Structures are given as structure tokens and as C-alpha cells.
Amino acid sequence: MYIKDIDDVISIGALASNYSYYKNRNNEIKISIFSFAPVLFSWLGMDERIFYGYVGSGIYHWTQPSSSSFDSTSATEFGFRMGSGLKIKLGRKTGIGLNLEWNHIFKMKSKNFDIGPVNNIDLSMSFIYSFY
């Protein structure tokens, strides 16, 4: 994630992520998802810069490797993400973050399956470095 402040409340940025394989409970389908999204970002409590929230629309590219039952396939779809988090300061310019994010892909369809809209909720931890 890269964030650039516009003013005291709103920032803009970009977020890229790669989710390793998700397995379907009922068959041999495994899916990997890469996403890139421009985001609108805001610190909730500007003075301390502890809590944050963001929202953005993006591009999601997913791939499914071949298995004994299915051929490999991939596609690129649109979606959006919303997230919020907490930054814990470690040093003057460093910190760790705890992030909860919801991703929504508008449709996931291939020659092997048609899932329709897909939702993904992730809890992640990150290392934060401030360049300013």
C-alpha cells in the first residue's frame, strides 16, 4: 500500500495484494487472486494517526491451476475493497499494522465453474515505514 496525504483528512493511494490459493470445499478447484486498487484513505483521529479506513475499486486477476478434474484457467474482473486498521508505532518512522479488509469481486466465471459474485474477508498484519 502506498498512501499520499492530500489534506488533513483525506489521502489517496494504491494497494496491491496477492492471495495464495483458496481451496473449494466441494471439489479440486484452487484459486489464487492478485488485485490492484486505487484507494481513498483517511486517518480516523488525525493527530495520533492510529486508526485508518479506506475504500477503492480495483482490478482482480484470478488463476486456477490444472488438476485431475479441471484444466487451468484465469480471468480478470472488477471489484472493490473496504478496509480499516490500526497502526502501532514502533519507532519514529516505523510501525506495525493490523488490518481487516473486505474484497468483493463482481463475478468469477470460467469454463470450469460459474461462482458469480465473490466476497473475501482478510485479517492481515503489515510492517509500516513512513517516508516523511
Side-chain angles (χ1 to χ4, degrees):
M1 180 185 295
Y2 174 78
I3 301 297
K4 173 72 175 148
D5 291 340
I6 295 176
D7 61 22
D8 289 343
V9 178
I10 300 292
S11 303
I12 58 171
L15 192 141
S17 58
N18 187 42
Y19 302 102
S20 295
Y21 289 108
Y22 292 101
K23 292 183 180 181
N24 186 290
R25 292 182 212 123
N26 301 324
N27 53 39
E28 291 184 73
I29 295 174
K30 294 190 309 184
I31 298 172
S32 176
I33 303 170
F34 173 79
S35 66
F36 176 79
V39 293
L40 191 59
F41 183 94
S42 181
W43 290 99
L44 311 171
M46 264 314 272
D47 295 337
E48 301 86 24
R49 289 189 174 227
I50 296 174
F51 301 102
Y52 56 87
Y54 58 91
V55 63
S57 60
I59 297 171
Y60 293 80
H61 179 76
W62 57 270
T63 59
Q64 180 227 329
S66 61
S67 67
S68 61
S69 302
F70 299 104
D71 293 333
S72 66
T73 187
S74 68
T76 301
E77 301 293 341
F78 290 100
F80 64 88
R81 66 181 354 129
M82 284 190 335
S84 63
L86 162 72
K87 175 185 171 187
I88 301 166
K89 196 171 187 176
L90 295 177
R92 195 174 73 105
K93 292 189 168 208
T94 60
I96 56 172
L98 188 60
N99 192 50
L100 182 64
E101 180 177 271
W102 171 52
N103 289 276
H104 178 78
I105 303 172
F106 294 130
K107 69 177 180 177
M108 194 174 274
K109 181 179 180 180
S110 75
K111 60 186 175 187
N112 298 333
F113 56 83
D114 183 358
I115 299 174
V118 175
N119 292 298
N120 182 25
I121 296 175
D122 293 302
L123 179 63
S124 62
M125 183 180 260
S126 59
F127 176 75
I128 300 169
Y129 181 81
S130 299
F131 290 100
Y132 54 89

